[in-house]
Amino acid sequence: MNVQLLNKKEAIFESTLKLINEYGFHGTPMSQIAAHANVATGTIYHYFSSKDELILELFKYCREKTNEHIFDFKEDLPYKERFFYIWNRLVDYYIAHKETFWFIEQFYSSPYYELIKQKKTTYYGVDKMHLFFEEGIKSGILRNVSFYTLISIYIGSATSHVKMVTYGFCKMQAKGRAELIEIIWNGVKNQYQ
Amino acid sequence: MNVQLLNKKEAIFESTLKLINEYGFHGTPMSQIAAHANVATGTIYHYFSSKDELILELFKYCREKTNEHIFDFKEDLPYKERFFYIWNRLVDYYIAHKETFWFIEQFYSSPYYELIKQKKTTYYGVDKMHLFFEEGIKSGILRNVSFYTLISIYIGSATSHVKMVTYGFCKMQAKGRAELIEIIWNGVKNQYQ
DNA sequence: ATTTAACAATTGAACGTTCATTCGGGTGCA
DNA sequence: TGCACCCGAATGAACGTTCAATTGTTAAAT
């Protein structure tokens, strides 16, 4: 009775996203998703072969939308500015789309992720980040540390921050956020240039 | 047929931990937990009033065990060493107890956490961290940034790192780990002392 | 020392509900 | 006429929880 806009497939996605956030993977029956999306239960099975597939597809959908958003910028900014920009775009996007954020978090830490981890399909987001960090190291702007170290700090702190904010722990969001990315920059920039 | 050691309550905890890691909150029926813990289904209801309560109690149990472990050290180390020590203890513990780690992650990002978030019961772990960071700031060793900023970086990077390692993405664990905590230290230490 | 009684712990079959999935039928468009 | 899309009641399996019955334990009473 809520989502009318979009085509049915997207309505199903959006409803699933909302309900899973509220009630979890369990606790969200297909019938409820259908009702919320204004379709019949059977219709979902026209688009997805099972509940698991629906959830898997929704995960890809969320991840793509997020990546589209954060890498949308003019390439010619100085490196440091891009470093701040991408991080802030990510935090912005997650805070503006809390349901997407929490769904992705829930998915990553559930056994679902095991189902797609193996897939060698080079994942767009990781590729982009890889190139971005590599550029920073090659040009001597970033310290020469491993990609996974950089990702852990860069993404880990962003998600932690979003968690704090959405939990309601963290007042003074803007200040905290500025402090955070600046500390990270301090930590990873090359000191001897 | 597996866990025989401990008393029944702990056997139920350990079985729940293992099975939820493998199959998720859903996908883990009480009957299966009972079978794995070598008790009858009804026995679980002698110790816990419902499945939800079992999961909530298990969460507290895991959190306490983790905190006991990471804050176990001699107070007289220099600040910087404690800063590295606690972080490494946390990473060590999670890597040695992957099931605890993933259960906590799953719990935090699920609707379960909403159920206990409100509880004002000053949570031991957060208190300890608060004092620890406060000490660093007051003595001028750490930059004067907000507690939640420090927590986001310190804990966020640790969990990110553990995720990378348990996903199997990150080879050369020891090097990556040393890089990470050093970068964080670089970022948060006071530059002008 | 033995009996007794109260209570705690344990069992697993049975119950009632919920839920993912199926299916037979309907509608509108090429 | 065929095909894609859509419906929602029906199905059947799975699951959380209950409960009457059994066993184990503790400690007061004899």
Side-chain angles (χ1 to χ4, degrees), chain A residues 1-192:
Chain A
M1 303 173 178
N2 258 321
V3 187
Q4 192 59 280
L5 348 127
L6 332 147
N7 58 54
K8 297 222 195 285
K9 193 169 177 181
E10 290 209 316
I12 293 167
F13 272 156
E14 296 299 331
S15 298
T16 309
L17 193 58
K18 180 183 172 53
L19 292 169
I20 283 187
N21 255 276
E22 203 157 346
Y23 307 109
F25 292 130
H26 59 319
T28 305
M30 293 296 261
S31 56
Q32 210 181 327
I33 295 173
H36 188 275
N38 270 325
V39 301
T41 318
T43 305
I44 300 181
Y45 287 86
H46 179 71
Y47 294 99
F48 307 97
S49 67
S50 70
K51 190 178 181 180
D52 275 6
E53 201 199 80
L54 164 59
I55 290 171
L56 256 50
E57 291 294 316
L58 175 56
F59 175 69
K60 287 188 215 157
Y61 173 83
C62 287
R63 204 161 64 166
E64 271 161 30
K65 281 218 161 189
T66 306
N67 283 321
E68 276 169 25
H69 185 264
I70 65 175
F71 289 115
D72 159 38
F73 62 97
K74 27 279 158 203
E75 296 280 344
D76 55 352
L77 288 176
Y79 193 84
K80 181 178 174 182
E81 278 174 47
R82 270 180 292 153
F83 191 92
F84 280 65
Y85 181 86
I86 294 173
W87 192 87
N88 275 303
R89 288 281 278 185
L90 180 60
V91 172
D92 278 339
Y93 187 82
Y94 277 154
I95 286 177
H97 301 82
K98 296 194 175 71
E99 283 165 359
T100 299
F101 172 74
W102 283 107
F103 174 75
I104 290 178
E105 281 297 304
Q106 226 177 308
F107 187 94
Y108 268 128
S109 53
S110 78
Y112 277 113
Y113 186 58
E114 286 291 324
L115 300 178
I116 57 159
K117 209 181 63 182
Q118 7 270 19
K119 294 208 176 170
K120 272 286 178 207
T121 46
T122 33
Y123 159 50
Y124 174 79
V126 169
D127 276 356
K128 279 271 193 177
M129 289 308 306
H130 211 299
L131 288 173
F132 179 65
F133 287 142
E134 206 165 46
E135 182 194 336
I137 292 172
K138 284 207 173 128
S139 60
I141 297 171
L142 295 185
R143 295 174 53 182
N144 184 19
V145 293
S146 90
F147 170 61
Y148 291 110
T149 300
L150 288 168
I151 275 280
S152 294
I153 296 193
Y154 199 71
I155 307 291
S157 62
T159 55
S160 277
H161 180 254
V162 174
K163 281 182 192 180
M164 295 288 173
V165 171
T166 61
Y167 282 159
F169 293 159
C170 186
K171 318 135 215 318
M172 300 206 306
Q173 210 188 108
K175 182 169 166 254
R177 187 208 291 222
E179 282 175 355
L180 239 185
I181 182 62
E182 208 234 314
I183 287 174
I184 293 165
W185 177 255
N186 265 350
V188 299
K189 77 173 178 204
N190 211 330
Q191 321 275 352
Y192 321 104

Side-chain angles (χ1 to χ4, degrees), chain B residues 2-134:
Chain B
N2 258 321
V3 186
Q4 191 60 280
L5 348 127
L6 332 146
N7 59 54
K8 297 225 195 286
K9 192 168 177 180
E10 290 209 316
I12 293 167
F13 272 156
E14 295 300 330
S15 298
T16 308
L17 194 58
K18 181 183 171 51
L19 292 169
I20 283 185
N21 255 275
E22 203 157 348
Y23 307 108
F25 292 130
H26 59 319
T28 304
M30 294 295 261
S31 55
Q32 210 182 326
I33 295 172
H36 188 275
N38 270 325
V39 301
T41 318
T43 305
I44 300 181
Y45 287 86
H46 178 71
Y47 294 99
F48 308 96
S49 67
S50 68
K51 191 179 180 181
D52 275 6
E53 201 199 80
L54 164 58
I55 289 171
L56 255 49
E57 290 294 316
L58 176 55
F59 175 69
K60 287 188 216 158
Y61 173 83
C62 287
R63 205 161 62 165
E64 271 159 29
K65 281 218 161 188
T66 305
N67 282 322
E68 276 169 26
H69 186 264
I70 65 175
F71 289 114
D72 159 38
F73 62 96
K74 26 280 158 203
E75 296 279 344
D76 56 351
L77 288 175
Y79 193 83
K80 181 179 175 183
E81 278 173 47
R82 270 179 292 154
F83 192 90
F84 280 65
Y85 181 85
I86 294 173
W87 193 87
N88 275 303
R89 288 281 279 186
L90 180 60
V91 171
D92 278 339
Y93 187 82
Y94 278 153
I95 286 177
H97 301 82
K98 295 193 176 73
E99 284 164 0
T100 299
F101 172 73
W102 283 107
F103 174 76
I104 291 179
E105 281 297 305
Q106 226 177 308
F107 187 95
Y108 269 128
S109 53
S110 78
Y112 277 113
Y113 185 58
E114 286 290 325
L115 300 179
I116 57 159
K117 208 180 63 182
Q118 9 268 22
K119 294 208 177 170
K120 272 285 178 208
T121 46
T122 33
Y123 159 49
Y124 173 78
V126 168
D127 276 355
K128 280 270 193 177
M129 288 307 307
H130 210 301
L131 288 172
F132 179 64
F133 287 143
E134 207 166 45

